[in-house]
Amino acid sequence: MRAVIVEAGAVVVRERPDPVPGTGELLVRVQAAGLNGADLLQRAGLYPAPPGSPADIPGLEFAGVVAAVGPGVERFVVGDRVMAVVGGGAQAELAIVHERTALAVPDTLASVEAGGFPEAFTVAHDTLFTQCALRPGERVLVNGAAGGVGIAGAQLALVAGAAVVASVRAAHLRKALEAFGATAVDPADAAAHGPYDVILEPIGAPNLKTDLDSLAIGGRLAIIGIGAGARGEIDLLQLMSRRACIHGSTLRARPLEEKAVAARLVERQVLPLVAAQRVRVPVEEVFGLKDVDAAYTRFAVGGKLGKIVLDIPG
Amino acid sequence: MRAVIVEAGAVVVRERPDPVPGTGELLVRVQAAGLNGADLLQRAGLYPAPPGSPADIPGLEFAGVVAAVGPGVERFVVGDRVMAVVGGGAQAELAIVHERTALAVPDTLASVEAGGFPEAFTVAHDTLFTQCALRPGERVLVNGAAGGVGIAGAQLALVAGAAVVASVRAAHLRKALEAFGATAVDPADAAAHGPYDVILEPIGAPNLKTDLDSLAIGGRLAIIGIGAGARGEIDLLQLMSRRACIHGSTLRARPLEEKAVAARLVERQVLPLVAAQRVRVPVEEVFGLKDVDAAYTRFAVGGKLGKIVLDIPG
C-alpha cells in the first residue's frame, strides 16, 4: 500500500507492506482521511503515536470500506462503509481499526465528509456531554469555532438546546457560523456575550484568563488544545467563588476501551443527527494523496471553515 | 443575646437584639460554634458575609437546641438538638437557620463535637463525592490533613474504601492521622506516594504544581482553600494528557437550595457513620465565649488536630 510517512520533519508518500487485521480488527480500504492539529505536531516530531499505532504514518481518522476482517469480528462485514478515530496510521491506502471503535457511515455522508467526521465529532461530543454534562438552556462559548472541533461542538450544543457564541478571528467565516444558529463574534468580544456555563477551548493558554473571567457560577472550562501555548496563570479564588471546573483531555492517549465507549456514544447520540441532516460536516478543501504536503500547508495556514481531507481512491 | 462581633479587625463580645425566625426558620440556642478559616478572613475584612446573614457576627457552623420555630417549620420542634452550616452569625447565643439546612445531632455526638461538625464534614463530603465522584479503591491525597476538613475528608475517604495519604507539616500530628487508617506524611513526601485519583487541597497556590504533578490519569484536584496564596501557573498540556480536572468551590456563597441539597446528602450519607462511630469529630481545644480572641489566636497558629470550638452555654 501507499502511505503518508513522516520523514525528517516532512510528509512524503511511500510504499509500505499491507497491514494484517488481528483479532477483532478490521482492515479498511481508506477512501478519505481528515487532517488534525496532531498531524502537524507529529510531523514536527512532537507528538509520537501511542503504542500499537504505526509510528511513522500519521492520521487520526479515516473513512473507507471494510476489505477484510480479523478473527472474532462481529459488528461489520467486508464491503461495509466505516469510519473511525485511530491512534495513527489513517493517512494510507489501508488502515487497521478495532471494530469496537468503528462507526457505520450514514448514507447521508459522502466519503470525504465521513473522513473528516470521527475525530472532531467524538472530541466535541465527549467534551460537551461526557465531561461537561451540557444541559439545554445553558450558554456555551466555542472558541476557534471555524475549526473541525469548533463546528462540531457548536452544532451539537445547538441541537442540545444550548445558546452558542462562536468566536473566530477570520471575519469572513462568521456568516457560515451564524447560519448554523450560533452568534459569531470576534474573540475580543466573546467575554461581553458571557457569562458561559461551558467553554470549549482548543487554542490554549492565551485565552485562559478571558475564559476564566467569562465563566458563570458552576461553569466548566474544557481545554482540548494548546496550539497557541500551554502555560498560564490561574486565580484559584476565582475558581472557588465561581464553583467552576477546568477539564483537560485528549482522545488519542486513551486506552482502547475508553475510545470504544466514546465511539459507542457517538454512534447512539450523534449518528442519528447526521442521518437526519441535523448536523453537517463542512469540508474546506480536499487534496489527493500525492498532494499531502500541500494539504498540511493548507491546514497550518488556518482561516478555514471545517476540515481539510485527503481523498485516497483505492 | 451576646454575640461575637467583628469590630475594627478584632473580635469582641457585644449585646445584640435577639433574632426572630422567619418562615421555615429555626431559632437555635447555640451551645457550640466551630471556628473556620473564613472567620479569620472576615475578621480581617476580606470575606464579607453573604446577603441574608448577619454582616458583623462571624461563624459558619453551630450546634444547639431549637428555642423557637418560624411559620411553616415541619422538620423540627422546640427542644430538638440541631447543627448546621450557616452563611454567618453562628458565634452568638442565638442563631437563625433554615430548617432545610439543619441536621439532627446524633446522640453519639457531644455538643462541642457537633459544633465543629457541619462545615468540615459538609465540605469534605461535597468535595469528595458530589464534585470528585470518589470511588472505592481510588487513591486520595488529603493536604492540610490535621485541619477540620482534612480530618473529615480523610475519614470519609477511608470509610468509602479509598487509600488515603494524609499530608501534614507538624510531625507530632501524624500518629493521630495514622490511627484513622491514613498514611501520614510530610508534605514534601506526598508526591512520592502518588499518583492520586483525588487530591483535597485546602492550602492553595504553593501546592498547585506538586498537586498537578501527582495527579493520576483521570485525576481530580479539588481546591477548597487558598490561605497560602491564590495565584499559580498551570500546564494545560499536562492537564490534557492526564485527562484531569481542577475543581474550585466554596460552600458559603451557595444559594439556600444548594446548601440544603448538600445538607440532605450529609444527613443521609454521613450521619449514619457518625451514629455508628465510624467517623469522629476531633476537637483540639474549646474556648468560652469571653475568650473568643484567644480562640481566634489559637486557630491562626495552626499545628492542631481538628477543630477549635467556642463553648456557648445558654
Side-chain angles (χ1 to χ4, degrees):
Chain A
M1 68 167 183
R2 290 181 302 158
V4 175
I5 302 290
V6 172
E7 230 178 61
V11 282
V12 293
V13 178
R14 297 268 186 261
E15 275 293 326
R16 283 292 159 105
D18 289 358
V20 176
T23 299
E25 291 179 336
L26 312 176
L27 178 69
V28 178
R29 183 159 298 281
V30 176
Q31 296 177 314
L35 266 61
N36 289 280
D39 303 335
L40 295 185
L41 292 175
Q42 187 165 352
R43 187 179 64 167
L46 295 174
Y47 195 12
S53 295
D56 56 357
I57 306 176
L60 297 186
E61 60 182 343
F62 65 74
V65 174
V66 176
V69 298
V73 164
E74 298 173 341
R75 283 168 41 87
F76 298 98
V77 297
V78 171
D80 282 349
R81 293 178 76 207
V82 294
M83 56 186 178
V85 172
V86 288
Q91 292 168 9
E93 287 177 327
L94 293 166
I96 297 286
V97 63
H98 196 287
E99 67 159 346
R100 307 301 309 178
T101 66
L103 303 167
V105 179
D107 291 340
T108 48
L109 223 50
S111 288
V112 292
E113 294 170 325
F117 172 88
E119 172 77 9
F121 277 84
T122 306
V123 167
H125 184 273
D126 180 82
T127 307
L128 289 175
F129 301 102
T130 303
Q131 291 178 53
C132 295
L134 179 66
R135 297 296 192 89
E138 290 197 308
R139 294 184 62 79
V140 177
L141 170 63
V142 178
N143 287 324
V149 176
I151 290 181
Q155 291 183 87
L156 291 176
L158 285 162
V159 166
V164 174
V165 174
S167 90
V168 58
R169 203 143 37 164
H172 69 280
L173 300 177
R174 283 179 211 139
K175 187 169 281 185
L177 290 163
E178 299 268 0
F180 286 120
T183 300
V185 302
D186 186 271
D189 300 328
H193 288 77
Y196 299 104
D197 301 295
V198 172
I199 300 179
L200 214 62
E201 180 52 66
I203 292 165
N207 285 350
L208 189 56
K209 184 176 183 325
T210 307
D211 287 347
L212 291 169
D213 286 346
S214 307
L215 275 185
I217 301 288
R220 295 135 272 164
L221 168 60
I223 308 290
I224 55 172
I226 43 92
R231 294 185 164 276
E233 192 186 71
I234 62 173
D235 177 346
L236 299 175
L237 181 58
Q238 181 185 47
L239 203 67
M240 289 173 66
S241 59
R242 301 275 170 91
R243 309 196 287 284
C245 191
I246 308 175
H247 295 268
S249 78
T250 63
L251 200 56
R252 191 181 200 182
R254 298 187 199 178
L256 176 63
E257 63 275 17
E258 291 187 24
K259 287 177 177 166
V261 167
R264 287 280 74 70
L265 290 173
V266 170
E267 182 173 80
R268 291 203 296 270
Q269 299 175 15
V270 184
L271 291 192
L273 302 171
V274 174
Q277 298 186 287
R278 295 186 66 191
V279 300
R280 297 198 299 111
V281 187
V283 173
E284 169 73 30
E285 198 168 347
V286 178
F287 291 82
L289 189 56
K290 68 175 171 35
D291 298 321
V292 60
D293 186 63
Y296 274 57
T297 301
R298 176 68 193 87
F299 184 90
V301 168
K304 54 193 178 299
L305 187 80
K307 302 290 296 190
I308 304 295
V309 179
L310 291 178
D311 185 12
I312 309 178
Chain B
M1 67 168 184
R2 290 182 303 157
V4 176
I5 302 289
V6 172
E7 230 179 59
V11 281
V12 295
V13 177
R14 296 269 184 262
E15 276 292 329
R16 283 293 158 106
D18 290 359
V20 177
T23 300
E25 290 181 336
L26 313 176
L27 177 69
V28 178
R29 183 158 300 283
V30 176
Q31 295 176 317
L35 266 60
N36 290 281
D39 302 336
L40 296 186
L41 291 176
Q42 187 165 352
R43 187 178 64 168
L46 295 175
Y47 194 13
S53 296
D56 56 356
I57 306 176
L60 299 186
E61 59 182 345
F62 65 74
V65 174
V66 176
V69 299
V73 164
E74 298 173 339
R75 283 167 42 87
F76 298 98
V77 297
V78 171
D80 282 348
R81 292 179 76 208
V82 293
M83 57 187 176
V85 173
V86 288
Q91 293 169 9
E93 288 177 327
L94 293 166
I96 297 285
V97 63
H98 196 284
E99 67 158 344
R100 305 300 311 177
T101 66
L103 303 167
V105 179
D107 291 340
T108 49
L109 223 50
S111 287
V112 290
E113 294 171 323
F117 171 89
E119 173 76 9
F121 278 83
T122 306
V123 167
H125 184 274
D126 179 83
T127 307
L128 289 175
F129 301 102
T130 304
Q131 289 178 55
C132 294
L134 179 66
R135 297 294 193 91
E138 290 198 308
R139 294 183 63 79
V140 177
L141 170 63
V142 177
N143 287 325
V149 176
I151 290 181
Q155 291 183 88
L156 291 177
L158 285 162
V159 166
V164 174
V165 174
S167 92
V168 58
R169 204 143 37 164
H172 69 278
L173 300 177
R174 283 179 211 140
K175 187 170 281 187
L177 289 164
E178 299 268 359
F180 286 120
T183 300
V185 301
D186 186 271
D189 299 328
H193 289 76
Y196 300 103
D197 301 295
V198 172
I199 300 179
L200 216 60
E201 181 51 67
I203 292 165
N207 285 351
L208 189 56
K209 185 179 183 322
T210 307
D211 287 347
L212 290 170
D213 287 345
S214 307
L215 274 185
I217 301 286
R220 296 135 272 164
L221 168 59
I223 308 291
I224 56 173
I226 44 95
R231 294 184 164 276
E233 193 187 69
I234 62 172
D235 177 346
L236 299 176
L237 181 58
Q238 181 185 48
L239 203 68
M240 287 173 66
S241 59
R242 302 277 170 89
R243 309 197 287 282
C245 191
I246 309 174
H247 294 267
S249 77
T250 62
L251 201 56
R252 191 179 200 185
R254 297 186 200 179
L256 174 64
E257 62 276 16
E258 291 186 24
K259 287 177 176 165
V261 167
R264 287 282 73 70
L265 290 173
V266 170
E267 182 174 80
R268 292 202 297 268
Q269 300 175 16
V270 183
L271 291 191
L273 302 171
V274 174
Q277 297 186 286
R278 296 187 64 190
V279 300
R280 296 198 298 111
V281 185
V283 173
E284 169 73 31
E285 200 168 345
V286 177
F287 292 81
L289 190 56
K290 68 174 171 35
D291 298 320
V292 60
D293 187 62
Y296 273 56
T297 301
R298 175 68 192 90
F299 184 90
V301 168
K304 53 194 179 298
L305 187 81
K307 301 291 295 190
I308 304 295
V309 179
L310 292 178
D311 185 12
I312 307 177

